Coordinates of all heavy atoms in Angstrom, one line a residue:
Chain I
G325 N -31.4 -55.9 8.0 CA -32.4 -56.9 7.6 C -32.1 -57.5 6.3 O -32.4 -58.7 6.0
A326 N -31.4 -56.8 5.4 CA -31.3 -57.3 4.0 C -30.4 -58.6 3.9 O -30.8 -59.5 3.3 CB -30.6 -56.2 3.2
P327 N -29.2 -58.6 4.6 CA -28.5 -59.8 4.5 C -29.3 -61.0 5.1 O -29.1 -62.1 4.7 CB -27.2 -59.6 5.4 CG -27.2 -58.0 5.4 CD -28.5 -57.6 5.4
E328 N -30.0 -60.7 6.2 CA -30.8 -61.9 6.7 C -31.7 -62.5 5.7 O -31.8 -63.7 5.5 CB -31.6 -61.3 7.9 CG -30.9 -61.1 9.2 CD -30.4 -62.5 9.7 OE1 -31.2 -63.4 9.7 OE2 -29.3 -62.6 10.0
A329 N -32.5 -61.6 4.9 CA -33.4 -62.1 3.9 C -32.6 -62.8 2.8 O -33.0 -63.9 2.4 CB -34.1 -60.9 3.3
A330 N -31.4 -62.3 2.5 CA -30.7 -62.9 1.4 C -30.2 -64.3 1.9 O -30.1 -65.3 1.2 CB -29.4 -62.1 1.1
K331 N -29.8 -64.4 3.3 CA -29.4 -65.6 3.8 C -30.4 -66.7 3.7 O -30.2 -67.8 3.3 CB -28.9 -65.3 5.3 CG -27.6 -66.2 5.6 CD -27.3 -66.1 7.1 CE -26.9 -64.7 7.5 NZ -26.8 -64.5 8.9
V332 N -31.7 -66.3 4.1 CA -32.8 -67.3 4.1 C -33.0 -67.7 2.7 O -33.1 -69.0 2.4 CB -34.0 -66.6 4.7 CG1 -35.2 -67.5 4.4 CG2 -33.9 -66.3 6.2
H333 N -32.9 -66.8 1.7 CA -33.1 -67.1 0.4 C -32.1 -68.1 -0.2 O -32.4 -69.1 -0.7 CB -33.1 -65.8 -0.4 CG -33.3 -66.1 -1.9 ND1 -32.3 -65.9 -2.8 CD2 -34.4 -66.4 -2.7 CE1 -32.8 -66.2 -4.0 NE2 -34.1 -66.5 -3.9
N334 N -30.8 -67.8 0.1 CA -29.9 -68.7 -0.4 C -29.9 -70.0 0.2 O -29.7 -71.1 -0.4 CB -28.4 -68.1 0.0 CG -28.1 -66.9 -0.9 OD1 -28.6 -66.7 -2.0 ND2 -27.1 -66.1 -0.5
D335 N -30.3 -70.1 1.6 CA -30.5 -71.3 2.3 C -31.6 -72.1 1.5 O -31.4 -73.4 1.3 CB -30.9 -71.0 3.8 CG -30.8 -72.2 4.5 OD1 -30.0 -73.1 4.3 OD2 -31.8 -72.5 5.4
L336 N -32.7 -71.5 1.2 CA -33.8 -72.2 0.6 C -33.4 -72.7 -0.8 O -33.6 -73.8 -1.1 CB -35.0 -71.3 0.4 CG -35.8 -71.0 1.6 CD1 -36.9 -70.0 1.3 CD2 -36.4 -72.3 2.1
V337 N -32.5 -71.8 -1.5 CA -32.1 -72.3 -2.9 C -31.2 -73.5 -2.8 O -31.4 -74.5 -3.5 CB -31.4 -71.1 -3.5 CG1 -30.6 -71.7 -4.8 CG2 -32.3 -70.0 -3.9
S338 N -30.3 -73.4 -1.8 CA -29.4 -74.6 -1.7 C -30.1 -76.0 -1.2 O -29.8 -77.0 -1.7 CB -28.3 -74.3 -0.6 OG -28.8 -74.1 0.7
R339 N -31.2 -75.7 -0.4 CA -32.0 -76.9 -0.1 C -32.7 -77.5 -1.1 O -32.8 -78.7 -1.5 CB -32.9 -76.5 1.1 CG -32.2 -76.7 2.5 CD -33.1 -75.9 3.5 NE -34.4 -76.4 3.8 CZ -35.1 -75.8 4.7 NH1 -34.8 -74.8 5.3 NH2 -36.3 -76.4 4.9
V340 N -33.2 -76.6 -2.0 CA -33.9 -77.1 -3.3 C -33.0 -77.8 -4.2 O -33.3 -78.8 -4.7 CB -34.7 -75.9 -3.9 CG1 -35.1 -76.2 -5.3 CG2 -35.8 -75.3 -3.1
R341 N -31.8 -77.2 -4.4 CA -30.8 -77.8 -5.2 C -30.4 -79.2 -4.7 O -30.2 -80.1 -5.5 CB -29.5 -77.0 -5.3 CG -29.8 -75.7 -6.0 CD -29.5 -75.9 -7.5 NE -30.1 -74.8 -8.2 CZ -29.8 -73.6 -8.3 NH1 -28.6 -73.2 -7.9 NH2 -30.4 -72.7 -9.0
A342 N -30.2 -79.3 -3.3 CA -29.8 -80.5 -2.8 C -30.8 -81.6 -3.0 O -30.6 -82.7 -3.4 CB -29.5 -80.3 -1.3
A343 N -32.1 -81.2 -2.8 CA -33.2 -82.0 -2.9 C -33.2 -82.5 -4.4 O -33.5 -83.7 -4.7 CB -34.6 -81.5 -2.6
Q344 N -33.1 -81.6 -5.4 CA -33.0 -81.9 -6.7 C -32.0 -82.9 -7.1 O -32.1 -84.0 -7.9 CB -32.9 -80.8 -7.6 CG -34.2 -79.9 -7.8 CD -34.0 -78.6 -8.5 OE1 -32.9 -78.2 -8.6 NE2 -35.1 -78.0 -9.1
H345 N -30.7 -82.7 -6.5 CA -29.6 -83.6 -6.7 C -30.0 -85.0 -6.2 O -29.6 -86.1 -6.9 CB -28.4 -83.1 -6.2 CG -27.8 -82.0 -6.9 ND1 -27.1 -80.9 -6.3 CD2 -27.7 -81.8 -8.2 CE1 -26.6 -80.1 -7.3 NE2 -27.0 -80.6 -8.5
E346 N -30.6 -84.9 -5.1 CA -31.0 -86.3 -4.4 C -32.0 -87.0 -5.3 O -31.8 -88.3 -5.6 CB -31.6 -85.9 -3.1 CG -31.9 -87.2 -2.2 CD -30.7 -87.9 -1.8 OE1 -29.6 -87.4 -2.0 OE2 -30.9 -89.1 -1.3
V347 N -32.9 -86.3 -5.8 CA -33.8 -87.0 -6.7 C -33.2 -87.6 -8.0 O -33.4 -88.7 -8.4 CB -35.0 -85.9 -7.2 CG1 -35.7 -86.4 -8.4 CG2 -35.8 -85.6 -6.0
Q348 N -32.2 -86.7 -8.6 CA -31.5 -87.3 -9.7 C -30.8 -88.5 -9.4 O -30.7 -89.4 -10.2 CB -30.6 -86.1 -10.3 CG -31.3 -85.2 -11.2 CD -30.4 -84.0 -11.6 OE1 -29.2 -84.1 -11.3 NE2 -30.9 -83.1 -12.2
R349 N -30.1 -88.4 -8.2 CA -29.2 -89.5 -7.8 C -30.1 -90.8 -7.6 O -29.8 -91.9 -8.1 CB -28.5 -89.3 -6.5 CG -27.3 -90.2 -6.1 CD -26.8 -89.8 -4.8 NE -27.7 -90.1 -3.7 CZ -28.0 -91.1 -3.2 NH1 -27.4 -92.2 -3.6 NH2 -28.9 -91.2 -2.2
L350 N -31.3 -90.6 -7.0 CA -32.1 -91.8 -6.7 C -32.8 -92.3 -8.0 O -32.8 -93.5 -8.1 CB -33.2 -91.3 -5.7 CG -32.7 -91.2 -4.3 CD1 -33.8 -90.7 -3.4 CD2 -32.2 -92.5 -3.7
S351 N -33.1 -91.4 -8.9 CA -33.7 -91.9 -10.1 C -32.7 -92.6 -11.0 O -33.0 -93.7 -11.6 CB -34.5 -90.9 -10.9 OG -33.6 -89.8 -11.2
A352 N -31.4 -92.2 -10.9 CA -30.4 -92.9 -11.6 C -30.1 -94.3 -11.1 O -30.1 -95.3 -11.7 CB -29.2 -92.1 -11.6
Q353 N -30.2 -94.3 -9.7 CA -30.0 -95.6 -9.1 C -31.1 -96.5 -9.4 O -31.0 -97.7 -9.6 CB -30.0 -95.3 -7.5 CG -29.5 -96.5 -6.8 CD -29.5 -96.2 -5.2 OE1 -29.9 -95.1 -4.8 NE2 -29.2 -97.1 -4.4
A354 N -32.4 -95.9 -9.5 CA -33.6 -96.7 -9.8 C -33.4 -97.3 -11.1 O -33.7 -98.5 -11.3 CB -34.9 -96.0 -9.6
Q355 N -33.0 -96.5 -12.0 CA -32.8 -97.0 -13.5 C -31.8 -98.1 -13.6 O -31.9 -99.2 -14.2 CB -32.5 -95.9 -14.4 CG -33.7 -95.1 -14.8 CD -33.3 -94.0 -15.7 OE1 -32.2 -94.0 -16.2 NE2 -34.3 -93.1 -16.1
Q356 N -30.7 -97.9 -12.8 CA -29.6 -98.9 -12.8 C -30.2 -100.2 -12.2 O -29.9 -101.3 -12.8 CB -28.4 -98.4 -11.9 CG -27.2 -98.9 -12.1 CD -26.2 -98.4 -11.1 OE1 -26.4 -97.2 -10.6 NE2 -25.1 -99.1 -10.8
L357 N -30.8 -100.1 -11.0 CA -31.4 -101.4 -10.5 C -32.3 -102.0 -11.4 O -32.4 -103.2 -11.5 CB -32.1 -101.0 -9.1 CG -31.1 -100.6 -8.0 CD1 -31.9 -100.1 -6.8 CD2 -30.1 -101.8 -7.6
N358 N -33.1 -101.2 -12.1 CA -34.1 -101.7 -13.0 C -33.4 -102.4 -14.1 O -33.9 -103.6 -14.5 CB -34.9 -100.6 -13.6 CG -36.3 -101.0 -13.8 OD1 -36.8 -101.9 -13.3 ND2 -37.0 -100.2 -14.6
S359 N -32.3 -101.9 -14.7 CA -31.6 -102.7 -15.7 C -31.0 -103.9 -15.2 O -31.0 -105.0 -15.9 CB -30.6 -101.7 -16.4 OG -29.7 -101.3 -15.5
A360 N -30.6 -103.9 -14.0 CA -29.9 -105.1 -13.4 C -31.1 -106.1 -13.2 O -30.8 -107.4 -13.6 CB -29.4 -104.8 -12.0
L361 N -32.3 -105.6 -12.8 CA -33.4 -106.6 -12.7 C -33.8 -107.3 -14.0 O -34.0 -108.4 -14.1 CB -34.6 -105.8 -12.1 CG -35.8 -106.6 -11.9 CD1 -35.6 -107.6 -10.7 CD2 -37.0 -105.6 -11.5
T362 N -33.7 -106.3 -15.0 CA -34.1 -106.9 -16.4 C -33.1 -108.0 -16.8 O -33.5 -109.1 -17.2 CB -34.1 -105.7 -17.4 OG1 -34.9 -104.7 -16.8 CG2 -34.7 -106.2 -18.6
A363 N -31.8 -107.6 -16.5 CA -30.8 -108.6 -16.9 C -31.0 -110.0 -16.2 O -30.9 -111.0 -16.9 CB -29.5 -108.0 -16.6
L364 N -31.2 -109.8 -14.9 CA -31.4 -111.0 -14.1 C -32.7 -111.9 -14.6 O -32.7 -113.0 -14.8 CB -31.7 -110.7 -12.6 CG -30.4 -110.5 -11.9 CD1 -30.7 -109.9 -10.4 CD2 -29.5 -111.6 -11.8
R365 N -33.7 -111.1 -14.9 CA -34.9 -111.8 -15.4 C -34.7 -112.4 -16.7 O -35.3 -113.6 -17.0 CB -36.1 -110.7 -15.4 CG -37.4 -111.4 -15.3 CD -38.4 -110.4 -15.5 NE -38.0 -109.6 -16.6 CZ -38.2 -108.2 -16.7 NH1 -38.9 -107.7 -15.7 NH2 -37.8 -107.6 -17.7
D366 N -34.0 -111.7 -17.5 CA -33.8 -112.3 -18.9 C -32.9 -113.6 -18.7 O -33.2 -114.7 -19.4 CB -32.9 -111.4 -19.8 CG -33.7 -110.2 -20.4 OD1 -34.9 -110.3 -20.2 OD2 -33.1 -109.2 -20.9
Q367 N -32.0 -113.7 -17.8 CA -31.3 -114.7 -17.5 C -32.2 -115.9 -17.0 O -32.1 -117.1 -17.5 CB -30.3 -114.4 -16.5 CG -29.0 -115.2 -16.5 CD -28.0 -114.7 -15.5 OE1 -28.2 -113.7 -14.9 NE2 -27.0 -115.6 -15.2
A368 N -33.1 -115.5 -16.2 CA -34.0 -116.7 -15.5 C -35.0 -117.0 -16.7 O -35.4 -118.2 -16.6 CB -34.8 -115.9 -14.5
L369 N -35.4 -116.1 -17.6 CA -36.4 -116.6 -18.6 C -35.7 -117.2 -19.9 O -36.4 -117.2 -20.9 CB -37.2 -115.3 -18.9 CG -38.3 -114.9 -17.9 CD1 -39.0 -113.6 -18.3 CD2 -39.2 -116.1 -17.8
S370 N -34.5 -117.4 -19.8 CA -33.7 -117.7 -21.1 C -34.4 -118.9 -21.8 O -34.3 -119.0 -23.0 CB -32.2 -117.9 -20.7 OG -32.1 -119.0 -19.7
G371 N -35.0 -119.7 -20.9 CA -35.6 -120.9 -21.7 C -36.8 -120.6 -22.4 O -37.1 -121.1 -23.4

Side-chain angles (χ1 to χ4, degrees):
Chain I
E328 281 298 314
K331 218 186 290 171
V332 170
H333 177 255
N334 285 343
D335 188 39
L336 284 176
V337 166
S338 65
R339 271 160 71 182
V340 168
R341 290 275 156 75
Q344 281 173 341
H345 284 147
E346 186 67 8
V347 166
Q348 278 175 6
R349 196 183 64 79
L350 286 176
S351 57
Q353 194 185 357
Q355 279 183 8
Q356 200 184 337
L357 289 173
N358 215 15
S359 60
L361 180 68
T362 311
L364 279 175
R365 205 190 38 219
D366 282 352
Q367 214 176 339
L369 284 176
S370 53

